[in-house]
């Protein structure tokens, strides 16, 4: 978020791992690899973490309505349901190459839709962003969104059925865990017996207390931001009067310790207290273990019991690393193999959150994503890719999640980004194959969804809304009335989806891409007349059994026909002798026949992946 089963007594009394900041496990030795003698490669021991994640906003994924009225209600614009994610839909996602599905927006969150007849309190529009509401303003950690159920009283059973259906189709499940903040209206109606709600026992006379769940501004009432107009000038939401009552005011989710957050703050959320006294030099109060830690551990255990396979942890760096160092091992004791993927933006803290925090994966946003985006839009430098593998994520690249789209980022095909799907071909090829870590695709990316329209609270910003009820037009063409067969796609869209499928399935099946070493070929080719090292990027991925040569062309206009050179050092590392053998180069990405020459034709915005095999 950067934009505006019951828990048993045994679980609730789970013995706590002894913890203090000084008892954190030492750094993993393989993260501290020395710089290699050859600057074109690393000595990083490669680990196979090549999972393929398909992210979908559940509210939008299965919606077949096409009205798309700005600020439209659920009745007007429709909403996707858990049940819309059918066996056929899951089979097609699996065929695309996915191994995991990240179901985004599952937890119950604040909304302007009235579910009071089902015992769910109506939210105040003064602190809800958009008609549907942000899925990152959680209202009940122990429940799922009623929007997503066909039968609202049976909503949890419908989610549980989706998890079983996903597993039956050979896919695993991620859901969101939002640890840093909750909706201002947070109140759990579905919490298991014996669970004390967040804030229920807080001492509200204190700005900070180690066992308070929230931060307070004693004596001050919350002030709705000036300009807050969640449904625009033509409509009013429920209870919308600019007078939301919160006394004393709580600190706002994006670390705003004021009773009057601005319109640009996360004013619909409140910050959770993990034992950090922000207003006194961020002093830590971690012994005894803070109450918020215990509550969040129990929430994670609750969902682990629902058989989810992993958590995408929202704004992980806004929560102290000491909490993650304690809670992730606690959850993995209860469910070994469960995965934790952190949304992270501070590249100086990546190592900390992997080593001390015990995360399995972190976002590679400010490094690879940002660098590729610049290249896709005519700026940037090829050297930015080199910087990522050689410095920024050196030693732990297998733990970095690579992507070109997600719910926070602009769509590639939008006018705000590339305005076209073609630049995704070289960029996604590099993103997916540069390392052995996870790769992610956002629903609709594979058919060139451009994110057009001002949906309501979400403006015309190149993103697919997370705040509004909406139909996603290009994705709906693939959905084809629930057939999920791409029947309404154009030829160009079918070709784009085919590219993603070929690339992701290659990533899933290739030993070299899953666990091969890396060797950059820029230095070996940069003096060649046919090789433009400002627009072309090439590298090897290899094991003893498979050798691949990846080349991407980021030029929007130029076709290159280089004969690719592999230096002697790289041949030696691959265990091959070019003086004694001839080789066949087969393009396994594009399905082109093999050749005894490493001469390739690279049209604008293209990529090839050549498998190198000794000629028999």
């Amino acid at each position: 978020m950067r934009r505006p089963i019951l828990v048993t007594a045994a679980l609730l009394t789970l013995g706590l791992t002894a913890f203090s900041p000084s008892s954190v496990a030492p750094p993993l030795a393989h993260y501290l690899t020395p710089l290699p003698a050859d600057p074109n490669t690393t000595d990083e021991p490669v680990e196979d973490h090549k999972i393929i994640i398909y992210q979908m906003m559940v509210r939008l994924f299965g919606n077949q309505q096409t009205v798309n009225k700005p600020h439209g209600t659920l009745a007007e614009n429709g909403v996707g349901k858990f049940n819309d994610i059918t066996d056929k839909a899951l089979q097609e996602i699996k065929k695309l190459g996915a191994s995991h599905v990240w179901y985004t927006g599952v937890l119950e969150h604040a909304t302007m839709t009235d579910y009071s007849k089902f015992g769910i309190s109506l939210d105040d529009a003064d602190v809800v962003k958009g008609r549907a509401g942000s899925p990152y303003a959680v209202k009940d950690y122990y429940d799922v969104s009623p929007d997503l159920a066909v039968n609202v009283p049976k909503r949890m059973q419908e989610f549980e059925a989706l998890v079983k259906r996903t597993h039956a189709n050979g896919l695993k499940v991620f859901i969101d865990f939002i640890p840093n903040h909750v909706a201002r209206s947070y109140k759990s109606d579905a919490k298991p017996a014996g669970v004390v709600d967040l804030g229920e026992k807080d001492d509200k006379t204190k700005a900070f207390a180690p066992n308070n769940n929230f931060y307070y501004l004693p004596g001050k009432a919350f002030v709705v931001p000036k300009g807050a107009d969640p449904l625009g000038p033509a409509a009013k939401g429920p209870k919308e009067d600019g007078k939301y009552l919160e006394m004393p005011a709580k600190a706002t989710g994006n670390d705003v310790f004021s009773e009057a957050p601005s319109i640009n703050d996360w004013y619909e959320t409140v910050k959770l207290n993990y034992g950090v006294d922000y207003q006194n030099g961020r002093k830590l109060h971690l012994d005894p273990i803070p109450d918020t830690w215990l509550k969040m551990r129990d929430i994670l255990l609750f969902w682990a019991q629902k058989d989810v396979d992993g958590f995408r942890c929202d704004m992980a760096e806004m929560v102290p690393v000491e909490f993650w160092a304690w809670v992730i091992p606690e959850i993995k004791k209860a469910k070994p193999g469960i995965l934790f993927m952190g949304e992270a933006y501070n590249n100086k803290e990546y190592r900390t959150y992997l080593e001390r925090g015990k995360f399995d994966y972190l976002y590679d946003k400010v490094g690879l994503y940002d660098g590729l985006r610049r290249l896709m839009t005519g700026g940037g430098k090829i050297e930015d890719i080199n910087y990522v593998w050689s410095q920024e994520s050196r030693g732990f690249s297998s733990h970095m999640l690579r992507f070109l789209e997600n719910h926070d980022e602009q769509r590639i095909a939008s006018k705000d980004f590339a305005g076209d799907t073609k630049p995704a071909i070289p960029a996604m090829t590099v993103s997916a194959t540069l390392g052995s870590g996870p790769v992610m695709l956002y629903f609709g990316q594979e058919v060139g969804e451009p994110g057009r329209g001002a949906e309501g609270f979400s403006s015309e910003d190149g993103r697919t809304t997370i705040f509004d009820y909406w139909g996603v037009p290009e994705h709906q063409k693939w959905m084809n009335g629930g057939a999920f067969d791409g029947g309404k796609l154009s030829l160009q869209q079918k070709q784009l989806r085919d590219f993603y499928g070929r690339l992701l399935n290659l990533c899933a099946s290739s030993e070299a891409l899953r666990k091969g070493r890396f060797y950059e070929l820029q230095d070996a080719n940069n003096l060649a007349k046919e090789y433009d090292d400002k627009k072309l990027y090439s590298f090897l991925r290899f094991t003893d059994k498979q050798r691949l040569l990846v080349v991407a062309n980021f030029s929007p206009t130029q076709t290159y026909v280089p004969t690719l050179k592999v230096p002697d050092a790289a041949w030696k590392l691959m265990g091959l002798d070019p003086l004694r053998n001839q080789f066949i180069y087969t393009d396994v990405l594009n399905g082109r026949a093999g050749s005894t020459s490493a001469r390739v034709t690279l049209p604008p915005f293209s990529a090839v992946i050549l498998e190198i095999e000794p000629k028999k």
Side-chain angles (χ1 to χ4, degrees):
M1 172 183 170
R2 291 186 298 116
R3 293 197 267 166
I5 177 181
L6 298 182
V7 175
T8 63
L11 282 175
L12 289 170
T13 57
L14 184 67
L16 303 183
T17 303
F19 177 84
S20 70
S22 61
S23 69
V24 175
L28 298 178
H30 73 266
Y31 287 169
L32 301 177
T33 54
L35 282 169
D38 188 336
N40 298 296
T41 188
T42 73
D43 291 332
E44 177 182 343
V46 181
E47 300 174 350
D48 182 0
H49 291 285
K50 188 59 77 180
I51 65 173
I52 315 295
I53 302 168
Y54 185 91
Q55 182 196 1
M56 70 166 75
M57 183 68 65
V58 179
R59 178 203 294 161
L60 304 177
F61 179 84
N63 184 20
Q64 296 183 38
Q65 294 294 324
T66 59
V67 174
N68 284 356
K69 174 184 174 182
H71 296 292
T73 65
L74 184 155
E76 291 168 328
N77 282 355
V79 69
K81 308 288 186 181
F82 293 131
N83 289 0
D84 292 326
I85 307 164
T86 62
D87 286 311
K88 181 62 162 64
L90 291 165
Q91 288 162 14
E92 293 303 314
I93 291 169
K94 175 77 171 175
K95 287 177 187 175
L96 197 60
S99 58
H100 293 64
V101 184
W102 167 15
Y103 292 120
T104 306
V106 164
L107 300 182
E108 184 186 333
H109 55 270
T111 177
M112 293 190 209
T113 301
D114 188 355
Y115 288 103
S116 56
K117 68 180 180 181
F118 300 104
I120 299 170
S121 59
L122 180 62
D123 292 300
D124 190 318
D126 286 327
V127 287
V128 179
K129 289 182 176 178
R131 179 79 72 176
S134 168
Y136 294 96
V138 172
K139 182 179 175 179
D140 189 344
Y141 276 125
Y142 286 102
D143 208 349
V144 298
S145 169
D147 274 352
L148 307 180
V150 174
N151 183 342
V152 172
K154 301 283 188 182
R155 58 192 179 276
M156 187 62 81
Q157 290 95 318
E158 290 185 25
F159 170 72
E160 292 167 347
L162 174 61
V163 173
K164 290 179 181 177
R165 191 160 63 249
T166 306
H167 288 158
N169 282 283
L171 294 159
K172 295 188 175 182
V173 173
F174 274 98
I175 65 169
D176 285 290
F177 174 54
I178 299 97
N180 175 69
H181 50 269
V182 294
R184 294 208 102 90
S185 58
Y186 187 90
K187 185 180 188 303
S188 178
D189 300 315
K191 64 183 185 294
V195 171
V196 178
D197 216 358
L198 285 167
E200 190 175 324
K201 293 188 176 181
D202 280 5
D203 182 349
K204 299 179 183 180
T205 67
K206 295 180 179 178
F208 168 81
N211 276 325
N212 275 357
N213 299 134
F214 300 117
Y215 297 95
Y216 296 93
L217 297 150
K220 297 180 179 180
F222 173 73
V223 180
V224 176
K226 290 181 180 179
D229 191 13
L231 295 181
K236 289 288 184 185
K239 308 180 188 178
E240 184 182 348
D241 59 7
K243 300 177 182 177
Y244 181 76
L245 180 62
E246 182 180 280
M247 181 70 186
K250 301 183 185 78
T252 293
N254 59 323
D255 297 354
V256 173
F257 288 78
S258 166
E259 75 281 10
S262 80
I263 192 68
N264 296 316
D265 289 318
W266 304 348
Y267 65 85
E268 81 279 23
T269 70
V270 289
K271 175 84 174 175
L272 282 166
N273 171 12
Y274 284 81
V276 183
D277 190 350
Y278 281 83
Q279 294 175 294
N280 285 289
R282 296 182 179 239
K283 185 177 179 182
L284 298 178
H285 298 261
L286 308 181
D287 188 11
I289 292 172
D291 183 72
T292 300
W293 289 29
L294 305 178
K295 284 183 165 63
M296 301 313 273
R297 176 209 57 187
D298 291 341
I299 288 161
L300 286 165
L301 288 171
F302 174 86
W303 292 104
Q305 281 192 307
K306 298 290 184 189
D307 211 19
V308 304
D309 303 288
F311 297 99
R312 178 270 187 186
C313 301
D314 188 70
M315 300 306 297
E317 295 161 319
M318 295 185 77
V319 173
V321 69
E322 291 85 358
F323 166 72
W324 299 115
W326 171 78
V327 81
I328 290 177
E330 287 284 303
I331 306 308
K332 291 195 174 193
K333 281 193 301 185
K335 186 173 182 179
I338 198 165
L339 298 173
F340 283 78
M341 174 172 68
E343 180 187 17
Y345 301 105
N346 183 357
N347 56 9
K348 294 181 175 60
E349 292 296 326
Y350 288 167
R351 192 182 297 273
T352 300
Y353 276 76
L354 289 169
E355 293 176 9
R356 294 180 60 199
K358 308 298 183 187
F359 273 95
D360 295 289
Y361 311 121
L362 297 178
Y363 272 33
D364 195 343
K365 195 274 178 190
V366 300
L368 192 60
Y369 169 88
D370 282 353
L372 290 174
R373 177 174 174 134
R374 289 189 294 268
L375 284 166
M376 293 166 74
T377 53
K381 300 175 293 184
I382 290 290
E383 289 82 2
D384 291 342
I385 304 172
N386 173 278
Y387 179 79
V388 169
W389 71 259
S390 66
Q391 297 185 57
E392 187 173 85
S393 61
R394 185 181 68 84
F396 50 82
S397 67
S398 298
H399 296 269
M400 300 305 291
L401 170 72
R402 269 75 190 253
F403 56 85
L404 293 183
E405 285 190 2
N406 64 41
H407 67 279
D408 280 319
E409 307 303 338
Q410 291 168 326
R411 293 287 194 174
I412 296 164
S414 74
K415 60 181 176 56
D416 304 273
F417 191 162
D420 189 2
T421 59
K422 295 183 185 68
I425 292 173
M428 192 68 190
T429 301
V430 171
S431 183
T433 64
L434 189 70
S436 290
V439 183
M440 186 166 74
L441 188 75
Y442 189 40
F443 86 106
Q445 178 183 344
E446 72 275 28
V447 295
E449 173 58 44
R452 292 194 192 99
E455 300 98 334
F457 187 85
S458 190
S459 60
E460 179 86 47
D461 61 2
R463 297 177 177 87
T464 295
T465 180
I466 67 169
F467 304 104
D468 308 282
Y469 298 113
W470 202 252
V472 184
E474 304 310 312
H475 165 73
Q476 288 176 328
K477 293 177 182 178
W478 170 72
M479 190 163 55
N480 193 21
F484 297 100
D485 62 2
K488 295 181 181 178
L489 295 175
S490 68
L491 177 60
Q492 183 180 355
Q493 287 176 310
K494 289 177 181 178
Q495 291 171 339
L496 180 67
R497 194 170 191 277
D498 179 64
F499 158 74
Y500 278 105
R502 284 184 278 112
L503 176 64
L504 296 178
N505 276 287
L506 184 61
C507 287
S509 62
S510 165
E511 179 181 274
L513 296 179
R514 295 191 68 92
K515 54 184 179 182
R517 289 193 62 183
F518 170 89
Y519 196 99
E520 188 181 82
L521 296 176
Q522 294 299 93
D523 283 350
N525 289 277
N526 63 9
L527 297 180
K529 187 185 301 183
E530 305 90 349
Y531 192 93
D532 181 355
D533 65 353
K534 303 301 181 188
K535 295 297 181 182
L536 301 181
Y537 187 70
S538 58
F539 56 93
L540 297 164
R541 296 292 311 283
F542 57 93
T543 66
D544 291 341
K545 296 179 181 179
Q546 187 183 41
R547 295 92 175 172
L548 298 180
L549 196 167
V550 182
V551 198
N553 177 12
F554 287 92
S555 172
T557 58
Q558 183 69 40
T559 294
Y560 297 97
V561 191
T563 299
L564 298 160
K565 296 178 176 62
V566 176
D568 290 343
W571 286 118
K572 185 175 180 180
L573 285 173
M574 291 191 291
L576 299 176
D577 186 350
L579 298 178
R580 301 181 65 179
N581 295 99
Q582 249 193 326
F583 300 99
I584 301 294
Y585 300 85
T586 305
D587 186 352
V588 292
L589 175 60
N590 301 299
R592 296 183 186 133
S595 167
T596 55
S597 169
R599 184 177 176 86
V600 295
T601 299
L602 294 162
F605 288 136
S606 67
V608 301
I609 300 179
L610 304 177
E611 183 163 13
I612 307 172
E613 296 178 291
K615 186 177 180 180
K616 296 178 181 178

